Amino acid sequence: MIHGDTAKKLSFHVGQRILISRKKKKLICVLNTMEHIIQKNEIAVSHEISDILKLKPGNVVDVEIAEKPRSIDLIKEKLNGKKLNKDEIFEIIQNIANNSLTEVEVAFFVSAILEKGMSLEETKYLTQAMVETGNHLHFKGVVVDKHSIGGIAGNRTTPIVVSICAAAGLIFPKTSSRAITSAAGTADVIETIARVDFSIDDIKKIIKKTNGCFVWGGSLGLAPVDDKIIRVEKIVNADSSSQVIASILSKKISAGSKHILIDIPYGKSAKFSEREALLLKKRFLQMKTVFKLDLDVVLTKGDEPIGNGIGPVLEIKDVIKVLTRNNSPKDLEEKSLFLSGKILEMVNKARPGKGVAMARSILESGAAYKKFLEIIHAQKGNVNLLDSLCSNAAYDIKSRKKIKIKHLNNKLFNTLARLAGCPEDKASGIYLYKKKGNDVDKGETIFTIYAVSKEKLRHAINFFRKNERKIIEIY
Amino acid sequence: MIHGDTAKKLSFHVGQRILISRKKKKLICVLNTMEHIIQKNEIAVSHEISDILKLKPGNVVDVEIAEKPRSIDLIKEKLNGKKLNKDEIFEIIQNIANNSLTEVEVAFFVSAILEKGMSLEETKYLTQAMVETGNHLHFKGVVVDKHSIGGIAGNRTTPIVVSICAAAGLIFPKTSSRAITSAAGTADVIETIARVDFSIDDIKKIIKKTNGCFVWGGSLGLAPVDDKIIRVEKIVNADSSSQVIASILSKKISAGSKHILIDIPYGKSAKFSEREALLLKKRFLQMKTVFKLDLDVVLTKGDEPIGNGIGPVLEIKDVIKVLTRNNSPKDLEEKSLFLSGKILEMVNKARPGKGVAMARSILESGAAYKKFLEIIHAQKGNVNLLDSLCSNAAYDIKSRKKIKIKHLNNKLFNTLARLAGCPEDKASGIYLYKKKGNDVDKGETIFTIYAVSKEKLRHAINFFRKNERKIIEIY
């Protein structure tokens, strides 16, 4: 932001790309003009910019018109259907990394990938470029990771899988995201009882002590271009298979993982149909050879929420129920054991077909819960913190007649939970008493909505009333 | 821009869509955070925003999280290939008009139109929606207009065509743009000797007095959504035929024109090949019936710059040479007469096949120049202003051997002129002594570069040296 008169004097115009530099740090930004609170020859920058350039009030910066990066022409060519080569993809990704492209230009890149697709080669270079423009972690030992593709409400297997595998001696440097469009990300869930925002050095210490972690990946600079692309892509959910693959693999490779399990949930109201999931699996497996990774892909049923809770606190409670063997939600337990078993088999900890049994015995022995507590403790947390997190308003959705449930819609339960306050209001969300196939008597509660304010509760209830038949389908 | 702590307190995050309102004015903007120069509970807004909301320092505004408009889902659907209906297109355009969509979202809309195309119906609704969300002009009499699609350097027929037609008694409310990616727009060219920024009421007075005008369309609010779309689309030159058609017709319909001539230049280094130009012509003519317009489309050769000058002052000098019959650039004269003749025939001022002769007699009689001076006078201008506009540095590009010119590249001459300072430095640009087909002796000047500073002149010369063979192709 500069003064309108200064802009005129310099022949700068609103929306123009300018290069701000101070000492050796440089950043390309988009110019805007403002009056009254800034004087002529002054510049005001956003928090984000002052952080990157390490600016303080009174600092002098150089400002000049930034040259239009060649990337823009490359993006244009991709929009017109041209295949990009390695150098071209690296140039675009480097320009995104050093903030030379605006979000509008990134939007055109995302559209081009979505509309024209990417070849196996292009996807490889996209992934490599994302890895190279970020930080890297390295760990000794058998380093594993898993990723469940999003879209399934309440699907909080990660803390359980990490605890089981770390208890078995595997190194599991799990970084997760916060919710962008869903009710909760793993980082939001763990944050109810522990810190998740650590430096790379902190993470190394946590892993050294406990074998595993559940931290937020956002501030680690692992494949940071992926985050920038996702921020734009999420606006229209324009995630193409190439972008999904590059996004997931770049994060895992950057985190130093050598054995990676990808879980693709499919089904009604999941992100993918079975056919799409199979196609995506095939494309993932093609990358296995390219990157010499020990990569496995499983397809799991994802046509209703998993567990009973949807929302940060409600989901961590489900996780603890499974780990403490106290009234476990069976679907969450079984899926966690299945994924853990796969990983144990991938790294030859368990013989083929024996992974689930091994995972179950680690869970039943209490070793997994012990490991979970160790990691939570290493992340400066405490499960007792849960007692202080409660909602102030709740509402039971009851059945008006005797019904049998056919389908619970993932997307709409996510929306419902967000209207109730997720993920910001930690204790808000949905608690499901009934799932697919269950019979419900007249007057019986199907689920409860929790919120921290009556207003938000009302929003959620209104949404449910309007969309009742889509949220819960019955026979 | 709000303080980081205020954002946290309100659970707002950077990049979020917020609604700012004061009294009855509302605007959706994207949130950013800043420190030091703004205090907690203060908000700083750009010039653009304070203009729209009519804000003054110390005003109190309401700020809330803006609901995500349904348009975003519609844009997503279009990206996925869905055909949009009338209501859906109107909703998107209305949301762009009232600033409910960010530029990133507009970029996805532009990509969707580009990649999936638009049917005749969709193009019709796009045009209608653009017209309805803007201001309108109405004039009595035979209201005509013309539009030459851009991309041809020096193609400044508009002031000549308007002068000839207005002298013949036609009403010609011509609104033009400023250069976005070219060396000069008609508004930049006229601005060297007259004002171009008028209110709608001013324009009505000018037209009443003189029959014609050459004003800047940017501040009139005629199809303002078109300007917003162009601002985004220009980044990657993603103009699809639907968007070009909607853009041109919405402006002309808003300006009250009933008889419209479209000029599509085609050829090497023009925007379109002959095949593409014919396709675009066909699509334009389909809209003729839809909008009940008297619409004609001509294809003109556009494979080199037209006239000798490229740049605001150099182009107005060419225009005056044609109008005063003093050393006219023949190609500019002939093209202007051709277009004027077409218009005169369209409105039955001239009999079929006799338009050019009529236009020529108006030009030769001095009536066109008299009309031009009248309009310039009505726009508070004076041709003598030209004397005070001069460049401070010039450089002759001479031929190093005897050559015959095969092609002068429009795009690269535009770039060259921009590097020399166009359109901001009015007197900067290129003056061509030689054109396609001309023989050039060793040592003879092909063109001269004009600039206001030696630095800009050097930039342009360097660019020429690096791209010499592409800028001038020889036999």
Side-chain angles (χ1 to χ4, degrees), chain A residues 146-197:
Chain A
K146 70 112 331 242
H147 183 91
S148 287
I149 290 179
I152 311 303
N155 187 18
R156 203 55 53 209
T157 57
T158 293
I160 304 167
V161 175
V162 171
S163 299
I164 291 173
C165 294
L170 307 181
I171 306 299
F172 211 137
K174 179 70 184 147
T175 65
S176 302
S177 56
R178 293 187 197 277
I180 302 179
T181 55
S182 69
T186 295
D188 301 306
V189 171
I190 296 298
E191 209 178 21
T192 56
I193 55 170
R195 275 182 49 201
V196 295
D197 188 1

Side-chain angles (χ1 to χ4, degrees), chain A residues 33 35 47 79 111 115-116, chain B residues 33 35 47 79 115-116:
Chain A
T33 58
E35 270 171 28
H47 210 133
L79 267 175
S111 305
E115 295 293 332
K116 300 299 181 188
Chain B
T33 57
E35 269 173 27
H47 210 133
L79 266 174
E115 296 293 334
K116 300 300 183 189

Side-chain angles (χ1 to χ4, degrees), chain B residues 263-283:
Chain B
D263 162 31
I264 311 179
Y266 67 93
K268 199 170 174 179
S269 83
K271 225 166 187 170
F272 303 103
S273 68
E274 188 169 5
R275 207 185 124 263
E276 292 166 335
L278 280 166
L279 262 173
L280 186 60
K281 176 177 175 169
K282 198 181 143 201
R283 295 210 64 194

